[in-house]
Amino acid sequence: MKDKKPNTLNLLITGGAGFIGSHVVRHFVTNYPAYHVYNLDALTYAGNLENLKDVAKEDNYTFIKGDIKDIPFIDELFDYYRFDVVIHLAAESHVDRSITNPNDFIETNVLGTANLLNAFKRIWINHFEGKQFLHISTDEVYGSLGKTGLFKETTAYDPQSPYAASKAASDQMVRAYANTYGLPYKITNCSNNYGPNQFPEKLIPLFIHNIQNNKELPVYGDGQYTRDWLYVTDHAKAIDTVFHKGKIGETYNIGGLNEWTNIDLIHLLCEQLDLKLGRPKGTASKLITFVKDRAGHDKRYAIDASKIQDELGWYPEMTFEQGLSKTVDWYLDNTNWLKNVTSGAYQAYYDKMYGKQED
Ligand code: NAD
Ligand code: TYD
């Protein structure tokens, strides 16, 4: 075990080497020098310490490599560090992978969450004052919307993919521990995130990578699926807001107020990349290829974020055009990051998902 820091708020962030987690870790390490941030991450294919090299040496930051599925390890960790706060992001997060390997999602997202809840409960039961388990979840737990309507915190859960079902189960475990043991929790359910450091299996970074490399852009089905996109640092700020100002025992929906059909978003991305790569207008969009649809593909997600806005005063700050442009710039400026994460296992995944293509 590494040094533990006395007389400070000990904050455990799980999954801090992943996409959203790395932005959350950076946000807390840089904005709250009085807290000590412990980043627990198993460094799966999606976790990358390169995401955090700018904060790795900060005094209020410690990285711990470990797996939330490993009960003895988790128990020992909580006994030793006695974390006051858990911000739980570690998860298997990609819907397509959940269709191929659902058990990985049940093991990490459901059992892994239960292991953290058990450890947190064991060390703090009867002393929960000032403690907090902040569980980071997704809007996908609510299922799929038709053309109208928005997900509210009161919308009944109706998860449709193994990923969504595993996250829904983990949310419900958190609530059950509150009801049964008095565990102090908050839950956030957020819409689709985008921004720097997202693993290029998700729509936006995958398509940026493919356009750069003149590879086909595999659009599932007719492309008329709708997502509500939020820039990742706006999500990190929302988590900060809920952590500091949210009420124990409450759920907050977080969204970008920014709905796009996949095909419109892809055309915008194509336009931006043609411009930034100095290619003739229309070059990237020629790569658009409609492919077989995702099984059980959710039609539309959209968030009613009025609770976090009205009660806690959080609003997204980044416009989509600005955010997308910043994201594209980041990927174009960080070709080594992309090269590192797309070597080896990524190639095998890509060939299996989309078929082999000439480079
Ligand atoms: P990600 O896949 O980029 O990162 C997940 C991180 O968790 C990785 O660093 C990985 O190494 C780590 N991890 C996985 N299994 C682990 C285990 N068993 N033990 C310890 N660490 C483990 O995911 P992300 O997109 O950053 O999502 C983070 C969280 O936010 C997830 O809980 C996800 O459900 C939720 N979320 C994501 C989005 C989105 O659009 N990406 C939207 C809403 C909510
Ligand atoms: P994704 O980034 O996987 O997020 P989620 O499924 O969690 O919303 O996908 C976003 C949308 O893009 C979703 O409707 C599926 C679609 N999509 C494609 O059309 N092609 C692809 O290759 C990928 C990865 C996603």
Side-chain angles (χ1 to χ4, degrees):
M1 295 279 179
K2 295 179 183 171
D3 282 355
K4 80 175 154 188
K5 312 289 171 194
N7 308 322
T8 178
L9 193 79
N10 286 315
L11 211 134
L12 175 69
I13 299 182
T14 69
F19 165 49
I20 301 170
S22 61
H23 289 276
V24 174
V25 165
R26 177 176 303 100
H27 180 92
F28 276 88
V29 169
T30 52
N31 287 294
Y32 300 102
Y35 302 166
H36 196 90
V37 174
Y38 295 87
N39 170 15
L40 168 66
D41 198 296
L43 300 181
T44 69
Y45 79 92
N48 185 352
L49 285 180
E50 228 182 297
N51 295 346
L52 285 168
K53 55 179 194 279
D54 54 325
V55 296
K57 295 208 161 68
E58 296 297 333
D59 286 342
N60 65 334
Y61 173 73
T62 304
F63 174 69
I64 302 166
K65 183 169 187 298
D67 193 327
I68 60 168
K69 300 195 294 293
D70 181 345
I71 297 173
F73 164 76
I74 291 296
D75 282 346
E76 200 187 333
L77 198 70
F78 275 74
D79 280 340
Y80 185 76
Y81 288 110
R82 301 187 71 77
F83 304 113
D84 302 289
V85 173
V86 176
I87 303 182
H88 176 36
L89 296 106
E92 289 293 336
S93 69
H94 190 40
V95 173
D96 291 325
R97 287 183 190 254
S98 83
I99 294 169
T100 324
N101 292 312
N103 277 26
D104 290 350
F105 287 69
I106 297 164
E107 285 160 18
T108 294
N109 299 358
V110 186
L111 297 176
T113 300
N115 296 338
L116 294 170
L117 288 168
N118 284 331
F120 188 77
K121 163 175 82 69
R122 192 173 44 75
I123 61 168
W124 295 123
I125 191 128
N126 301 325
H127 306 280
F128 278 137
E129 309 72 37
K131 310 299 176 217
Q132 185 176 155
F133 192 103
L134 174 48
H135 180 63
I136 308 306
S137 191
T138 167
D139 60 355
E140 303 192 24
V141 299
Y142 299 119
S144 182
L145 291 163
K147 281 198 164 48
T148 56
L150 298 171
F151 296 134
K152 295 179 185 303
E153 289 79 0
T154 49
T155 303
Y157 277 24
D158 187 21
Q160 299 294 316
S161 70
Y163 164 65
S166 69
K167 292 296 293 186
S170 68
D171 296 8
Q172 301 296 39
M173 286 306 289
V174 173
R175 294 190 180 102
Y177 274 61
N179 182 59
T180 311
Y181 309 110
L183 185 135
Y185 82 94
K186 294 170 191 169
I187 294 177
T188 58
N189 294 90
C190 188
S191 63
N192 286 59
N193 283 216
Y194 71 101
N197 307 96
Q198 188 170 31
F199 193 80
E201 62 187 354
K202 305 269 168 64
L203 180 73
I204 291 177
L206 174 70
F207 279 32
I208 294 173
H209 183 56
N210 283 12
I211 292 170
Q212 261 188 298
N213 294 290
N214 287 306
K215 284 170 89 167
E216 283 177 357
L217 304 177
V219 181
Y220 297 161
D222 59 5
Q224 296 299 326
Y225 293 88
T226 300
R227 299 291 183 263
D228 171 0
W229 294 92
L230 178 70
Y231 194 67
V232 62
T233 55
D234 275 330
H235 188 185
K237 286 177 196 159
I239 289 172
D240 176 341
T241 303
V242 171
F243 170 61
H244 287 103
K245 298 207 232 156
K247 283 200 199 117
I248 293 292
E250 292 285 327
T251 294
Y252 297 90
N253 282 355
I254 304 168
L257 319 171
N258 176 42
E259 286 186 53
W260 287 79
T261 61
N262 291 342
I263 197 69
D264 287 349
L265 187 162
I266 291 160
H267 279 295
L268 179 61
L269 200 57
C270 286
E271 272 170 38
Q272 287 202 358
L273 272 141
D274 282 345
L275 210 66
K276 287 177 197 279
L277 292 169
R279 295 176 182 170
K281 210 167 173 237
T283 308
S285 60
K286 290 202 185 86
L287 298 168
I288 292 175
T289 311
F290 291 92
V291 300
K292 187 168 173 283
D293 212 346
R294 173 185 280 173
H297 199 165
D298 285 339
K299 190 73 188 163
R300 176 170 164 257
Y301 306 141
I303 284 277
D304 177 346
S306 54
K307 180 173 172 183
I308 187 171
Q309 291 176 348
D310 298 347
E311 292 182 15
L312 309 184
W314 171 89
Y315 286 87
E317 290 168 19
M318 186 71 78
T319 66
F320 192 55
E321 283 73 6
Q322 266 179 335
L324 198 62
S325 172
K326 269 172 94 87
T327 304
V328 171
D329 288 344
W330 186 85
Y331 281 94
L332 296 183
D333 291 345
N334 287 275
T335 45
N336 271 341
W337 183 93
L338 256 181
K339 216 192 231 153
N340 290 343
V341 300
T342 53
S343 60
Y346 174 85
Q347 206 48 54
Y349 164 80
Y350 196 88
D351 292 346
K352 191 163 167 235
M353 265 306 288
Y354 300 104
K356 235 181 162 42
Q357 280 189 36
E358 296 309 312
D359 280 331

